[in-house]
Amino acid sequence: MALEKTFNAAEAESRIYADWETKGAFKAGANAQRDEHFSVMIPPPNVTGSLHMGHAFNNTLQDILVRWHRMQGFDTLWQPGQDHAGIATQMVVERELAATGQPGRRELGREAFTAKVWEQKQKSGGTIIDQLRRLGASCDWSRNAFTMSGAPGAPEGEEGNFHDAVIKVFVDMYNKGLIYRGKRLVNWDPHFETAISDLEVESTEVDGHMWHFKYPLAGGETYTYVEKDEDGNTLFEETRDYISIATTRPETMLGDGAVAVHPSDERYASIVGKLCEIPVGPKEQRRLIPIITDEYPDKNFGSGAVKITGAHDFNDYGVAKRNGIPLYALMDTQGQMRADGLPYAEAAARAQAIADGSEPAPEDATEINLVPDAYRGLDRFEARKRVVEDVTAEGLAVMTEATDPRLGRAAKKAPVEPGEGGEMRTEEENLVPLVEAKKIMQPFGDRSKVVIEPMLTDQWFVATDKIVQPAIDAVRSGEVTILPEQDRKVYFHWLENIEPWCISRQLWWGHQIPVWFDDDGNEYCAPTEAEAQAMAPGKTLRRDPDVLDTWFSSGLWPIGTLGWPEQTAELEKYFPTSVLVTGFDIIFFWVARMMMMQYAVVDQKPFDTVYVHALVRDEKGKKMSKSLGNVLDPLELIDDFGADAVRFTLTSMAAMGRDLKLSTQRIAGYRNFGTKLWNAHRFAEMNDVFDSMPAAMPTPQATLNKWIVGETARIREEVDAALGNFRFNDAANALYAFVWGKVCDWYVELSKPLLQDDAPEADETRATMAWVLEQCLVLLHPIMPFITEELWQTTTKRDQLLALTGWPTYTTADLLDAEADRELNWVIGLIESIRSARQQMHVPAGLKVPMLVTEMDAAAQGAWDRNEVMIKRLARVESLERADSFPKGTVSIAAPGASFGLPLAGLIDIDAEKARLQKSLDKLGKEIGGLKGRLNNPKFAASAPEEVVAEAQANLAARQEEADQMQAALDRLAELG
């Protein structure tokens, strides 16, 4: 069947993918011809998610590895699946219920609501799968897994056993003391009313304020406050009856348990151990708290004194735990000031007794609600406003001059006006509260978009300190390899500073905690309610309503997808898995947890190698963001350019440890690469190359054919070495240079005389070209699967799919002919040098020019004689004549064993060319000077965004390269006189 003029990706891709699936090309074990296995676990996308550029990049790299190993004959499995994504999926369903006017989650009740979620899963769960198919992902979809399969209420078709595996692990770890319930500080989302992971928190720089307040010393006590410079000279000294603190969250002052200063801070040494008063709340119940020392405060930041609110700040929590300071919770699950617990007067009295030491600090201080009646039930931000107003009205705000630059826009730049009666205001009257205007990092829920609150709540935790060591040892010993090296450091940093892992979420969609409580609060952990009840005969039990964090279940992904706890054949064959391809942002959240969990559960590593890739950014290096409007949708790009072009672009830029800067222009360029490959096959077809495909590897005699066969062996070795070392970009770029440059340009062009019917090398050249193009398809297939499969099946009748064709093993030792390699590279080098000289000298492209030679050894003479026709045609050379020396106006062209020259006198206006080049070079020099000045300016390097600096550096490099080329052309012109 004759090839169409162009490859129609939109029509062909779905047809080709359906053919692959119909013929079982992606089934586990397809094309297995060796005992070795190769298995990859897909990082499970959210079941209600859609393909984004990160998915496209990640899955393209996985697919390349999988297709490459499958073609090599490995027993290969690419295990697909989706994560139930608790909070994300619950949010989608709740929004859908609201949009369609249905009852909300709480009105429906848990069972009915989860049924709605299952409906949503079945409706939209296949979306991401179909999108991965469009990318060309060769997963074994018959084995598609889901982290909630087999859960109670799962509809038909969702049986599975992943849920059972998750529950079994929880129960086993609970019984071993590795899982426990406790009250700790967590990230709390007031919108969803649940704990969330660090990964679900987006810290964003916003305009904020820092309020400075006075905490009066107890009993009116005073001290001498002294500020000194670095040399110990006194800058400022005064008597104070307070200690100054600064806070960005005044509403949390109500729960302060202490004020901390650094042990080496001499300013406060005389008042350490004394008490100070929290400047808010009813005066008669105003609490006193101790001034303590701790390493946490920075004495060079602000006043050096820090309020410690252990129940509402992660740093404060650590200080409180180290120093035995009570943790007073101030807010409810919706971020409002608490209205429960003890009446304020009683709560304040108990807190004072604890501070005085007359009452021991309770392990759980929940009932002590220190929110004054006037603030109870207020939204946290309204409470902040009220606290600031009340403290300021009492005269306990630190004051400063109205022109203090720390006030930002609030600072008055003009002189202070006289008072109402015309009299000048006193210095004291010119003071205003010190409220610094400053940028602060604010944590937001990535889905709710509300401010996250550190919250002290009862949660379930994994005692990670008891299971972390094997995960550390495995990487240190080399049992598991993490690439690139820099990400090993990230991995170790996380694990060596690990905190207990909060695994409970206050949601309904997820694996419900398998723990029941009796009326006395006793716990009964069991896989089922019946088993729990058997542990508590005669008692009424209620189940913990919380569900497990999705990272807990996805932490079991490698074994859970293979059928564990059943000892399946797949588990025996494909575990431990071979490679995990993942993004750097989940090294801790997923990679480290899989390592910990697999060692804790089955005492085996989950994978041999972890390849960590970087981010896909826009063409200017900025992170893609909907708010910036720079998001590139991979599905739209596939529509516009085809999947192969998108895949090749991502692969060509996948340098280890380096972010990708993606642009549509680059993708269009690689679509042109596919067109070049297609056109080479059309050329071959028109020359009857595919009429008699060689049954075996050809053994050509012509130098050109020997050369291209050797080049093919060379690129095969280069691609294998690159992919074996996860240098995806090197593999892609080497293939690009080989297919476009060596095959489509040089070999196709040089072969044209040999393909003439009367040429003695015609049949050999057809057979060689057929084999070489076939090898191009095989070697390119893992990266560009669609166009290569189409060409494979269309150019000639095949017995099998390209996807299941064996990977070549030939080597340069077998196929490289050293003499042919030397000769053809000599010819190509000479043609390129002539073309370069013509271009630099602005010789008209169509003009044939004479060429001179002053010397030529036997090897060079033989190479010229055997390839004279090709050289003259491709270099636009009219003739070659010998000369004793080159006349004036000749451009010299060096080649191994020969010295050639192009006499251009009379063909070009040398003086005009010099003037043109010099003018361009001068202009370019000014641009280079400006760019260098900008980059050498310390202020620019320090203040400009990283992507702006990188762009300036790239521009300088490009301009410098252009200048170097112009200078080389000028130098050549200078030789001409």
Side-chain angles (χ1 to χ4, degrees), residues 583-601:
F584 75 90
D585 53 339
I586 55 174
I587 291 175
F588 175 68
F589 292 96
W590 191 44
V591 178
R593 286 169 178 175
M594 278 192 288
M595 288 282 283
M596 288 191 294
M597 294 294 278
Q598 258 62 208
Y599 278 111
V601 175

Side-chain angles (χ1 to χ4, degrees), residues 630-710:
N630 64 344
V631 173
L632 292 176
D633 184 336
L635 297 174
E636 291 180 2
L637 295 175
I638 289 172
D639 287 339
D640 293 341
F641 302 103
D644 291 316
V646 174
R647 289 170 59 113
F648 201 95
T649 306
L650 293 169
T651 309
S652 70
M653 300 174 71
M656 195 177 293
R658 191 184 311 159
D659 287 346
L660 288 74
K661 296 180 181 179
L662 192 62
S663 68
T664 53
Q665 289 85 354
R666 294 196 69 143
I667 302 170
Y670 286 118
R671 179 182 57 186
N672 295 341
F673 173 60
T675 301
K676 190 81 171 179
L677 177 70
W678 187 268
N679 288 340
H681 281 77
R682 290 188 70 229
F683 168 83
E685 185 180 64
M686 288 186 286
N687 283 276
D688 304 323
V689 165
F690 303 118
D691 288 356
S692 55
M693 292 290 290
M697 185 182 299
T699 54
Q701 300 305 307
T703 300
L704 174 64
N705 293 326
K706 287 180 179 180
W707 167 75
I708 196 61
V709 166

